[in-house]
Coordinates of all heavy atoms in Angstrom, one line a residue:
M1 N -26.5 71.2 -2.4 CA -26.2 72.2 -1.4 C -27.1 71.8 -0.2 O -28.3 71.5 -0.2 CB -26.6 73.5 -1.9 CG -26.1 74.6 -0.9 SD -26.1 76.2 -1.7 CE -27.4 77.0 -0.8
M2 N -26.4 71.8 1.0 CA -27.1 71.6 2.2 C -27.1 72.8 3.2 O -26.0 73.5 3.2 CB -26.5 70.3 3.0 CG -26.6 69.0 2.2 SD -25.9 67.7 2.9 CE -26.9 67.5 4.4
L3 N -28.1 72.9 3.9 CA -28.1 74.0 4.8 C -27.4 73.6 6.1 O -27.2 72.5 6.5 CB -29.7 74.4 5.3 CG -30.5 74.9 4.1 CD1 -31.9 75.0 4.5 CD2 -29.9 76.3 3.6
P4 N -26.8 74.6 6.8 CA -26.1 74.3 8.1 C -26.9 73.6 9.2 O -26.4 72.6 9.9 CB -25.7 75.6 8.7 CG -25.7 76.5 7.5 CD -26.8 76.1 6.4
E5 N -28.3 73.7 9.1 CA -29.2 73.0 10.0 C -29.2 71.5 9.7 O -29.2 70.7 10.5 CB -30.6 73.6 10.0 CG -30.5 75.1 10.5 CD -30.3 76.2 9.6 OE1 -30.1 75.8 8.3 OE2 -30.1 77.3 9.9
H6 N -29.2 71.3 8.4 CA -29.3 69.8 7.9 C -27.9 69.2 8.2 O -27.9 68.1 8.7 CB -29.5 69.8 6.4 CG -30.8 70.2 6.0 ND1 -31.2 70.8 4.8 CD2 -32.1 70.2 6.7 CE1 -32.5 71.2 4.7 NE2 -33.0 70.8 5.8
V7 N -26.8 69.8 8.1 CA -25.5 69.3 8.4 C -25.4 69.0 9.9 O -25.0 67.9 10.3 CB -24.4 70.2 8.0 CG1 -23.0 69.7 8.5 CG2 -24.4 70.3 6.5
E8 N -25.9 69.9 10.7 CA -25.9 69.7 12.1 C -26.9 68.5 12.5 O -26.6 67.7 13.3 CB -26.4 70.9 12.8 CG -26.4 70.9 14.5 CD -25.1 70.6 15.0 OE1 -24.1 71.0 14.5 OE2 -25.0 69.9 16.1
A9 N -28.0 68.4 11.9 CA -29.0 67.3 12.2 C -28.4 65.9 11.8 O -28.5 64.9 12.5 CB -30.3 67.6 11.5
I10 N -27.7 66.0 10.7 CA -27.1 64.7 10.3 C -25.9 64.3 11.3 O -25.8 63.1 11.6 CB -26.4 64.8 8.7 CG1 -27.6 64.9 7.9 CG2 -25.6 63.7 8.5 CD1 -27.2 65.3 6.5
R11 N -25.1 65.2 11.7 CA -24.0 65.0 12.7 C -24.7 64.5 14.0 O -24.2 63.5 14.6 CB -23.3 66.3 12.9 CG -22.1 66.0 13.8 CD -21.3 67.2 14.0 NE -20.8 67.8 12.7 CZ -21.0 69.2 12.3 NH1 -21.7 70.0 13.2 NH2 -20.6 69.6 11.1
H12 N -25.8 65.1 14.4 CA -26.4 64.8 15.7 C -27.0 63.3 15.6 O -26.9 62.5 16.5 CB -27.6 65.7 16.1 CG -28.3 65.4 17.3 ND1 -27.7 65.5 18.6 CD2 -29.5 64.9 17.5 CE1 -28.5 65.2 19.5 NE2 -29.6 64.8 18.8
R13 N -27.5 63.0 14.4 CA -28.0 61.6 14.2 C -27.0 60.5 14.2 O -27.2 59.5 14.9 CB -28.9 61.6 13.0 CG -29.6 60.3 12.7 CD -30.6 60.3 11.5 NE -31.3 59.1 11.4 CZ -31.3 58.4 10.3 NH1 -30.9 59.0 9.2 NH2 -31.9 57.3 10.2
K14 N -26.0 60.9 13.7 CA -24.8 59.9 13.7 C -24.3 59.7 15.0 O -24.0 58.6 15.4 CB -23.7 60.5 12.8 CG -22.4 59.5 12.6 CD -21.5 60.0 11.7 CE -20.3 59.0 11.7 NZ -19.1 59.5 10.9
E15 N -24.2 60.8 15.9 CA -23.7 60.7 17.3 C -24.7 59.9 18.0 O -24.3 59.0 18.9 CB -23.5 62.0 17.8 CG -22.4 62.9 17.4 CD -22.3 64.2 17.9 OE1 -23.2 64.5 18.8 OE2 -21.4 64.9 17.6
E16 N -26.0 60.1 17.8 CA -27.0 59.2 18.6 C -26.9 57.7 18.2 O -27.1 56.8 19.1 CB -28.4 59.8 18.2 CG -28.7 61.1 18.9 CD -28.6 61.1 20.5 OE1 -29.2 60.1 21.0 OE2 -28.1 62.0 21.1
Q17 N -26.7 57.5 17.0 CA -26.5 56.0 16.6 C -25.4 55.4 17.2 O -25.3 54.2 17.3 CB -26.5 56.0 15.0 CG -27.8 56.3 14.4 CD -27.8 56.3 12.8 OE1 -26.7 56.4 12.3 NE2 -29.0 56.2 12.2
E18 N -24.3 56.1 17.4 CA -23.0 55.5 18.0 C -23.1 55.2 19.4 O -22.3 54.4 20.0 CB -21.9 56.4 17.7 CG -21.4 56.6 16.3 CD -20.3 57.5 16.0 OE1 -20.0 58.2 17.0 OE2 -19.9 57.7 14.9
K19 N -24.1 55.8 20.1 CA -24.3 55.5 21.5 C -24.6 54.0 21.8 O -25.3 53.4 21.0 CB -25.4 56.4 22.1 CG -25.0 57.8 22.2 CD -26.0 58.6 22.9 CE -25.4 60.1 23.0 NZ -26.5 60.9 23.8
L20 N -24.1 53.5 23.0 CA -24.3 52.2 23.4 C -25.4 52.0 24.4 O -25.5 52.9 25.3 CB -23.0 51.6 23.9 CG -21.8 51.6 22.8 CD1 -20.5 51.3 23.5 CD2 -22.1 50.7 21.7
P21 N -26.1 51.0 24.5 CA -27.0 50.8 25.6 C -26.3 50.6 27.0 O -25.2 50.0 26.9 CB -28.0 49.6 25.2 CG -27.1 48.8 24.3 CD -26.1 49.9 23.5
K22 N -27.0 50.7 28.0 CA -26.4 50.5 29.3 C -26.4 48.9 29.6 O -27.3 48.3 29.3 CB -27.2 51.2 30.4 CG -26.6 51.1 31.7 CD -27.2 52.0 32.9 CE -28.7 52.1 32.9 NZ -29.1 52.8 34.0
H23 N -25.3 48.5 30.1 CA -25.1 47.1 30.6 C -25.8 46.8 31.8 O -25.7 47.5 32.9 CB -23.6 46.8 30.7 CG -23.3 45.4 31.0 ND1 -23.3 44.4 30.2 CD2 -22.9 44.9 32.2 CE1 -23.0 43.2 30.6 NE2 -22.7 43.6 31.9
E24 N -26.6 45.6 31.8 CA -27.3 45.3 33.0 C -26.5 44.2 33.7 O -26.2 43.2 33.0 CB -28.8 44.7 32.7 CG -29.7 46.0 32.1 CD -29.9 46.9 33.1 OE1 -30.0 46.8 34.2 OE2 -30.1 48.2 32.6
L25 N -26.3 44.3 34.9 CA -25.5 43.3 35.6 C -26.4 42.2 36.3 O -27.5 42.6 36.7 CB -24.7 43.9 36.8 CG -23.6 45.0 36.3 CD1 -23.0 45.7 37.7 CD2 -22.6 44.3 35.5
D26 N -25.9 41.1 36.3 CA -26.7 40.0 37.0 C -26.3 39.9 38.5 O -25.3 40.6 38.9 CB -26.6 38.6 36.3 CG -25.1 38.1 36.3 OD1 -24.3 38.5 37.1 OD2 -24.9 37.2 35.4
E27 N -26.9 39.1 39.3 CA -26.6 39.1 40.7 C -25.2 38.6 41.0 O -24.5 39.2 41.9 CB -27.5 38.1 41.4 CG -29.0 38.6 41.4 CD -29.2 39.8 42.2 OE1 -28.5 39.9 43.4 OE2 -29.9 40.7 41.7
Q28 N -24.6 37.7 40.2 CA -23.3 37.3 40.5 C -22.2 38.3 40.3 O -21.3 38.7 41.0 CB -22.9 36.0 39.7 CG -21.5 35.4 40.0 CD -21.2 34.3 39.1 OE1 -22.1 33.8 38.4 NE2 -20.0 33.7 39.4
E29 N -22.4 39.1 39.1 CA -21.6 40.2 38.8 C -21.7 41.3 39.8 O -20.6 41.9 40.3 CB -21.9 40.7 37.3 CG -21.5 39.9 36.3 CD -22.1 40.4 34.9 OE1 -23.2 40.9 34.9 OE2 -21.4 40.3 33.9
L30 N -22.8 41.6 40.3 CA -23.0 42.6 41.3 C -22.3 42.2 42.6 O -21.7 43.0 43.3 CB -24.5 42.8 41.7 CG -25.2 43.8 40.7 CD1 -26.8 43.7 41.0 CD2 -24.7 45.2 40.8
E31 N -22.4 41.0 43.0 CA -21.7 40.4 44.2 C -20.2 40.6 44.1 O -19.6 41.0 45.0 CB -22.2 39.0 44.5 CG -21.5 38.4 45.8 CD -22.1 37.1 46.0 OE1 -23.1 36.7 45.6 OE2 -21.4 36.4 46.8
E32 N -19.6 40.2 42.9 CA -18.2 40.3 42.8 C -17.7 41.8 42.7 O -16.7 42.2 43.4 CB -17.9 39.7 41.4 CG -18.0 38.2 41.4 CD -17.8 37.5 39.9 OE1 -17.4 38.3 39.1 OE2 -18.0 36.4 39.9
I33 N -18.5 42.7 42.1 CA -18.3 44.0 42.2 C -18.3 44.6 43.6 O -17.4 45.5 43.9 CB -19.2 44.9 41.1 CG1 -18.7 44.5 39.6 CG2 -19.1 46.4 41.4 CD1 -19.7 45.1 38.7
G34 N -19.3 44.2 44.3 CA -19.4 44.7 45.7 C -18.2 44.3 46.5 O -17.7 45.1 47.4
L35 N -17.7 43.1 46.3 CA -16.5 42.6 47.1 C -15.3 43.5 46.7 O -14.6 43.9 47.7 CB -16.3 41.1 46.8 CG -17.3 40.1 47.4 CD1 -17.0 38.8 46.8 CD2 -17.4 40.3 48.8
V36 N -15.1 43.8 45.5 CA -14.0 44.6 45.1 C -14.1 46.0 45.6 O -13.1 46.6 46.2 CB -13.8 44.6 43.6 CG1 -12.6 45.4 43.1 CG2 -13.5 43.2 43.1
I37 N -15.4 46.5 45.6 CA -15.6 47.9 46.1 C -15.3 48.0 47.5 O -14.7 48.9 48.1 CB -17.0 48.4 45.7 CG1 -17.1 48.7 44.2 CG2 -17.3 49.6 46.5 CD1 -18.4 48.9 43.7
M38 N -15.9 47.0 48.4 CA -15.7 47.1 49.8 C -14.2 46.9 50.1 O -13.7 47.5 51.1 CB -16.6 46.0 50.4 CG -18.0 46.3 50.3 SD -18.5 48.0 50.8 CE -18.2 47.9 52.6
D39 N -13.4 46.0 49.4 CA -12.0 46.0 49.6 C -11.3 47.2 49.4 O -10.4 47.5 50.2 CB -11.5 44.8 48.7 CG -10.2 44.2 49.2 OD1 -10.0 44.2 50.5 OD2 -9.4 43.7 48.4
S40 N -11.6 47.9 48.4 CA -11.0 49.3 48.1 C -11.4 50.2 49.2 O -10.5 51.0 49.6 CB -11.4 49.8 46.8 OG -11.0 51.1 46.6
L41 N -12.6 50.2 49.6 CA -13.1 51.1 50.7 C -12.4 50.9 52.0 O -11.9 51.8 52.6 CB -14.6 51.0 50.9 CG -15.3 51.9 52.0 CD1 -15.1 53.3 51.5 CD2 -16.8 51.5 52.0
N42 N -12.2 49.6 52.4 CA -11.7 49.3 53.7 C -10.1 49.4 53.7 O -9.6 49.7 54.8 CB -12.1 47.8 54.2 CG -13.6 47.9 54.4 OD1 -14.2 48.9 54.8 ND2 -14.2 46.7 54.1
H43 N -9.4 49.2 52.6 CA -8.0 49.1 52.6 C -7.3 50.1 51.7 O -6.1 50.1 51.5 CB -7.5 47.6 52.2 CG -8.1 46.6 53.0 ND1 -7.8 46.4 54.3 CD2 -9.0 45.6 52.7 CE1 -8.4 45.4 54.8 NE2 -9.2 44.9 53.9
A44 N -8.1 51.0 51.2 CA -7.6 52.2 50.3 C -6.8 51.6 49.1 O -5.8 52.1 48.9 CB -6.9 53.2 51.2
L45 N -7.4 50.6 48.4 CA -6.7 50.0 47.3 C -7.2 50.7 46.0 O -8.5 51.0 45.9 CB -7.0 48.6 47.2 CG -6.5 47.8 48.4 CD1 -6.9 46.4 48.3 CD2 -5.0 47.8 48.5
D46 N -6.4 50.9 45.0 CA -6.8 51.5 43.8 C -7.7 50.4 43.1 O -7.4 49.3 43.0 CB -5.6 51.8 42.9 CG -5.0 53.1 43.2 OD1 -5.6 53.9 43.8 OD2 -3.7 53.2 42.9
V47 N -8.7 50.9 42.3 CA -9.6 50.1 41.5 C -9.7 50.8 40.2 O -9.6 51.9 40.0 CB -10.9 49.8 42.1 CG1 -10.7 48.9 43.3 CG2 -11.6 51.1 42.5
C48 N -10.0 49.9 39.1 CA -10.3 50.5 37.7 C -11.8 50.2 37.6 O -12.2 49.0 37.6 CB -9.4 49.7 36.7 SG -9.9 50.3 35.1
I49 N -12.6 51.3 37.3 CA -14.0 51.1 37.2 C -14.3 51.5 35.7 O -14.1 52.5 35.3 CB -14.8 52.1 38.2 CG1 -14.4 51.8 39.6 CG2 -16.2 52.0 37.9 CD1 -15.1 52.5 40.7
A50 N -15.1 50.6 35.1 CA -15.7 50.7 33.8 C -17.2 51.1 34.1 O -17.8 50.3 34.7 CB -15.5 49.5 33.0
Y51 N -17.6 52.2 33.5 CA -19.0 52.5 33.7 C -19.6 53.2 32.6 O -18.8 53.7 31.6 CB -19.1 53.6 34.9 CG -18.4 54.9 34.8 CD1 -19.1 56.0 34.3 CD2 -17.0 55.0 35.0 CE1 -18.4 57.1 34.1 CE2 -16.3 56.2 34.8 CZ -17.0 57.2 34.4 OH -16.4 58.5 34.2
W52 N -20.9 53.4 32.4 CA -21.6 53.8 31.4 C -22.0 55.2 31.7 O -22.7 55.5 32.8 CB -22.8 52.9 31.0 CG -23.7 53.5 29.9 CD1 -23.6 53.0 28.6 CD2 -24.8 54.2 30.0 NE1 -24.6 53.7 27.9 CE2 -25.4 54.4 28.7 CE3 -25.5 54.9 31.0 CZ2 -26.5 55.1 28.4 CZ3 -26.6 55.6 30.9 CH2 -27.1 55.6 29.5
R53 N -22.0 56.2 30.8 CA -22.5 57.5 31.0 C -22.8 58.1 29.7 O -22.0 58.2 28.8 CB -21.6 58.4 31.8 CG -22.1 59.8 32.1 CD -21.1 60.7 32.9 NE -21.1 60.2 34.2 CZ -20.3 60.5 35.1 NH1 -19.2 61.3 34.8 NH2 -20.3 60.0 36.4
D54 N -24.0 58.6 29.5 CA -24.5 59.3 28.4 C -24.3 58.5 27.1 O -24.0 59.1 26.0 CB -23.9 60.6 28.2 CG -24.3 61.6 29.4 OD1 -25.4 61.5 29.9 OD2 -23.4 62.4 29.8
G55 N -24.5 57.2 27.1 CA -24.3 56.4 26.0 C -22.9 55.9 25.5 O -22.8 55.3 24.5
Y56 N -22.0 56.2 26.4 CA -20.7 55.8 26.1 C -20.0 55.1 27.4 O -20.4 55.5 28.6 CB -19.8 56.9 25.7 CG -20.2 57.7 24.5 CD1 -21.0 58.8 24.5 CD2 -20.0 57.1 23.2 CE1 -21.4 59.4 23.3 CE2 -20.4 57.6 22.0 CZ -21.2 58.8 22.1 OH -21.6 59.3 21.0
Y57 N -19.1 54.2 27.2 CA -18.5 53.6 28.3 C -17.1 54.3 28.5 O -16.4 54.7 27.7 CB -18.2 52.1 28.1 CG -19.4 51.3 28.2 CD1 -20.2 50.9 27.1 CD2 -19.9 51.0 29.4 CE1 -21.3 50.1 27.2 CE2 -21.0 50.2 29.5 CZ -21.7 49.8 28.5 OH -22.9 49.1 28.6
H58 N -16.8 54.5 29.9 CA -15.6 55.2 30.2 C -14.9 54.3 31.3 O -15.5 53.5 32.0 CB -15.9 56.5 31.0 CG -16.8 57.4 30.2 ND1 -16.3 58.2 29.1 CD2 -18.1 57.6 30.1 CE1 -17.3 58.9 28.6 NE2 -18.4 58.5 29.2
E59 N -13.6 54.5 31.6 CA -12.8 53.8 32.5 C -12.1 54.9 33.4 O -11.7 56.0 32.8 CB -11.8 52.9 32.0 CG -12.3 51.6 31.4 CD -11.2 50.6 31.1 OE1 -10.0 50.9 31.3 OE2 -11.6 49.5 30.8
I60 N -12.0 54.6 34.7 CA -11.5 55.6 35.6 C -10.8 54.8 36.7 O -11.2 53.7 37.1 CB -12.5 56.5 36.2 CG1 -11.9 57.7 36.9 CG2 -13.6 55.9 37.1 CD1 -12.9 58.8 37.2
I61 N -9.6 55.3 37.2 CA -8.8 54.7 38.3 C -8.8 55.6 39.4 O -8.6 56.7 39.4 CB -7.4 54.3 37.8 CG1 -7.4 53.3 36.6 CG2 -6.6 53.8 38.9 CD1 -6.1 53.1 36.0
G62 N -9.1 55.0 40.7 CA -9.1 55.7 41.9 C -9.4 54.7 43.0 O -9.3 53.6 43.0
V63 N -9.5 55.4 44.2 CA -9.8 54.7 45.5 C -11.3 55.0 45.9 O -11.6 56.1 45.9 CB -8.9 55.0 46.6 CG1 -9.1 54.4 47.9 CG2 -7.5 54.8 46.1
V64 N -12.0 53.9 46.3 CA -13.3 54.2 46.8 C -13.3 54.8 48.1 O -12.7 54.3 49.0 CB -14.1 52.8 46.9 CG1 -15.5 53.0 47.4 CG2 -14.3 52.2 45.4
D65 N -14.0 56.0 48.2 CA -14.0 56.8 49.4 C -15.2 56.5 50.2 O -15.2 56.7 51.4 CB -13.8 58.4 49.0 CG -13.6 59.2 50.2 OD1 -12.6 59.0 50.8 OD2 -14.6 60.0 50.6
R66 N -16.4 56.3 49.5 CA -17.6 56.3 50.1 C -18.6 55.4 49.2 O -18.6 55.7 48.0 CB -18.1 57.6 50.6 CG -19.5 57.5 51.2 CD -19.8 58.9 51.7 NE -21.1 58.8 52.5 CZ -22.0 59.6 52.5 NH1 -22.0 60.7 51.7 NH2 -23.1 59.5 53.2
V67 N -19.5 54.7 49.8 CA -20.6 54.1 49.0 C -21.9 54.6 49.7 O -22.1 54.3 50.8 CB -20.5 52.5 49.1 CG1 -21.7 51.9 48.4 CG2 -19.3 51.9 48.6
D68 N -22.7 55.3 48.9 CA -23.9 55.9 49.4 C -25.1 55.0 48.8 O -25.4 55.1 47.6 CB -24.0 57.4 48.9 CG -25.2 58.0 49.5 OD1 -26.1 57.4 50.1 OD2 -25.3 59.3 49.5
M69 N -25.6 54.2 49.6 CA -26.7 53.2 49.2 C -28.1 54.0 49.0 O -28.8 53.6 48.3 CB -26.9 52.1 50.2 CG -25.6 51.1 50.2 SD -25.2 50.5 48.6 CE -26.5 49.5 48.2
Q70 N -28.3 55.1 49.6 CA -29.5 55.9 49.5 C -29.6 56.5 48.2 O -30.5 56.5 47.4 CB -29.7 56.9 50.6 CG -30.0 56.2 51.9 CD -30.4 57.3 53.1 OE1 -29.7 58.4 53.0 NE2 -31.3 57.0 53.9
M71 N -28.4 57.2 47.8 CA -28.4 57.8 46.5 C -27.9 56.9 45.4 O -27.9 57.3 44.2 CB -27.4 59.0 46.7 CG -27.8 60.1 47.6 SD -29.4 60.8 47.2 CE -28.9 61.8 45.8
K72 N -27.5 55.7 45.8 CA -27.0 54.7 44.9 C -25.7 55.2 44.0 O -25.8 55.2 42.8 CB -28.1 54.1 43.9 CG -29.3 53.5 44.8 CD -30.2 52.9 43.8 CE -31.4 52.4 44.4 NZ -31.7 51.6 45.3
K73 N -24.8 55.7 44.7 CA -23.6 56.3 44.1 C -22.4 55.8 44.9 O -22.4 55.6 46.0 CB -23.6 57.8 44.1 CG -24.6 58.4 43.2 CD -24.6 59.9 43.1 CE -25.6 60.5 42.2 NZ -25.4 61.9 42.2
I74 N -21.3 55.7 44.1 CA -20.0 55.5 44.6 C -19.1 56.8 44.6 O -19.1 57.4 43.6 CB -19.4 54.4 43.9 CG1 -20.0 53.1 44.0 CG2 -17.8 54.2 44.4 CD1 -19.5 52.0 43.1
K75 N -18.5 57.2 45.6 CA -17.6 58.4 45.6 C -16.1 57.9 45.4 O -15.8 57.1 46.3 CB -17.8 59.1 46.9 CG -16.9 60.4 47.1 CD -17.2 61.1 48.4 CE -16.4 62.4 48.4 NZ -16.6 63.0 49.7
L76 N -15.6 58.2 44.4 CA -14.3 57.7 44.1 C -13.1 58.9 44.1 O -13.4 59.9 43.7 CB -14.3 57.2 42.6 CG -13.1 56.3 42.1 CD1 -13.0 55.0 42.8 CD2 -13.2 56.2 40.6
R77 N -12.1 58.6 44.9 CA -11.1 59.6 45.0 C -10.1 59.4 44.0 O -9.5 58.4 43.9 CB -10.5 59.5 46.5 CG -9.5 60.7 46.7 CD -8.9 60.6 48.1 NE -8.2 59.4 48.3 CZ -8.4 58.5 49.3 NH1 -9.3 58.7 50.3 NH2 -7.6 57.4 49.4
I78 N -9.8 60.5 43.3 CA -8.7 60.4 42.3 C -7.8 61.6 42.5 O -8.1 62.8 42.3 CB -9.4 60.6 40.9 CG1 -10.4 59.6 40.7 CG2 -8.3 60.5 39.7 CD1 -11.5 60.0 39.6
D79 N -6.6 61.2 43.1 CA -5.7 62.3 43.5 C -6.4 63.2 44.6 O -6.8 62.7 45.6 CB -5.1 63.0 42.5 CG -4.2 62.1 41.4 OD1 -3.6 61.2 42.0 OD2 -4.2 62.4 40.2
D80 N -6.6 64.4 44.2 CA -7.3 65.3 45.1 C -8.7 65.6 44.7 O -9.3 66.6 45.4 CB -6.4 66.6 45.2 CG -5.0 66.4 46.0 OD1 -4.9 65.4 46.7 OD2 -4.1 67.1 45.6
T81 N -9.2 65.0 43.8 CA -10.5 65.2 43.4 C -11.5 64.1 43.7 O -11.1 63.0 43.9 CB -10.6 65.6 41.9 OG1 -10.2 64.5 41.1 CG2 -9.7 66.9 41.6
F82 N -12.8 64.3 43.4 CA -13.7 63.2 43.6 C -14.7 63.1 42.5 O -15.0 64.1 41.8 CB -14.6 63.5 45.0 CG -13.7 63.5 46.2 CD1 -13.3 64.6 46.8 CD2 -13.4 62.2 46.8 CE1 -12.5 64.5 48.0 CE2 -12.7 62.2 47.9 CZ -12.3 63.3 48.5
E83 N -15.0 61.9 42.2 CA -15.9 61.6 41.1 C -17.1 60.7 41.7 O -16.8 59.7 42.4 CB -15.3 60.8 39.9 CG -16.0 60.4 38.8 CD -16.3 61.7 37.8 OE1 -15.3 62.5 37.8 OE2 -17.3 61.6 37.1
Y84 N -18.2 61.1 41.3 CA -19.4 60.2 41.8 C -19.9 59.4 40.6 O -20.1 59.9 39.4 CB -20.6 61.1 42.2 CG -20.3 61.8 43.5 CD1 -19.7 63.0 43.5 CD2 -20.5 61.1 44.7 CE1 -19.3 63.7 44.7 CE2 -20.3 61.8 45.9 CZ -19.6 63.1 45.8 OH -19.4 63.6 47.1
I85 N -20.1 58.1 40.8 CA -20.4 57.1 39.7 C -21.7 56.4 40.3 O -21.7 55.8 41.4 CB -19.4 56.1 39.4 CG1 -18.1 56.9 39.0 CG2 -19.9 55.2 38.4 CD1 -17.0 55.9 38.8
R86 N -22.8 56.4 39.5 CA -23.9 55.7 39.8 C -23.8 54.2 39.8 O -23.2 53.7 38.9 CB -25.1 56.1 38.9 CG -25.5 57.6 39.1 CD -26.6 57.9 38.2 NE -27.6 56.8 38.0 CZ -28.6 56.9 37.1 NH1 -28.8 58.0 36.5 NH2 -29.4 55.8 36.9
I87 N -24.3 53.5 40.8 CA -24.1 52.0 40.9 C -24.7 51.3 39.7 O -24.2 50.4 39.3 CB -24.7 51.5 42.3 CG1 -23.7 52.1 43.4 CG2 -24.6 50.0 42.4 CD1 -24.3 51.8 44.8
D88 N -25.9 51.8 39.4 CA -26.7 51.1 38.2 C -25.9 51.4 36.9 O -26.4 50.7 35.9 CB -28.1 51.5 38.2 CG -28.3 52.9 37.9 OD1 -27.4 53.8 38.0 OD2 -29.4 53.3 37.5
C89 N -24.9 52.2 36.8 CA -24.2 52.4 35.6 C -22.9 51.7 35.5 O -22.1 51.8 34.5 CB -23.9 54.0 35.4 SG -25.4 54.8 35.0
L90 N -22.5 50.9 36.6 CA -21.3 50.2 36.5 C -21.3 49.0 35.5 O -22.3 48.4 35.3 CB -21.0 49.4 37.9 CG -20.8 50.5 39.0 CD1 -20.7 49.8 40.4 CD2 -19.6 51.3 38.8
K91 N -20.2 48.8 34.8 CA -20.0 47.7 34.0 C -19.1 46.6 34.6 O -19.3 45.4 34.6 CB -19.5 48.1 32.7 CG -19.3 46.9 31.7 CD -18.9 47.4 30.4 CE -18.8 46.1 29.5 NZ -18.1 46.4 28.3
A92 N -17.9 47.1 35.2 CA -16.9 46.3 35.8 C -16.1 47.1 36.8 O -15.9 48.2 36.5 CB -16.1 45.6 34.8
V93 N -15.6 46.4 37.8 CA -14.7 46.9 38.7 C -13.6 45.9 39.0 O -13.8 44.8 39.3 CB -15.4 47.3 40.1 CG1 -14.4 48.0 41.1 CG2 -16.5 48.3 39.9
E94 N -12.3 46.4 38.9 CA -11.2 45.4 39.1 C -10.2 46.0 40.0 O -9.9 47.3 39.9 CB -10.5 45.2 37.7 CG -11.4 44.4 36.7 CD -10.8 44.3 35.4 OE1 -9.6 44.7 35.2 OE2 -11.4 43.7 34.5
S95 N -9.7 45.2 40.8 CA -8.5 45.7 41.7 C -7.2 45.9 40.8 O -7.0 45.1 39.9 CB -8.1 44.7 42.7 OG -9.3 44.6 43.6
I96 N -6.4 46.8 41.2 CA -5.1 47.1 40.5 C -4.0 46.6 41.3 O -4.0 46.8 42.5 CB -5.0 48.5 40.1 CG1 -6.2 48.9 39.2 CG2 -3.7 48.8 39.4 CD1 -6.1 50.4 38.6

């Protein structure tokens, strides 16, 4: 017989073990990503961005609206909403 607290602790531990480490980009990857981001920003082209957040990788499609170098974030427009993605959490950016 297990207490509910033990079941919750086991579930939490399993979730923590499934989390993935953040991908570190090298200089060449950063340069390629920068070119695709600036192309999207200047020409309003859709991009697919793979990024890391809270231990998991996600993909999102939208148009780069702004690049904030002070806050190190990208503002992505998705239909009528906006999503902010940290630059140091990027894994890949591809033109669509």
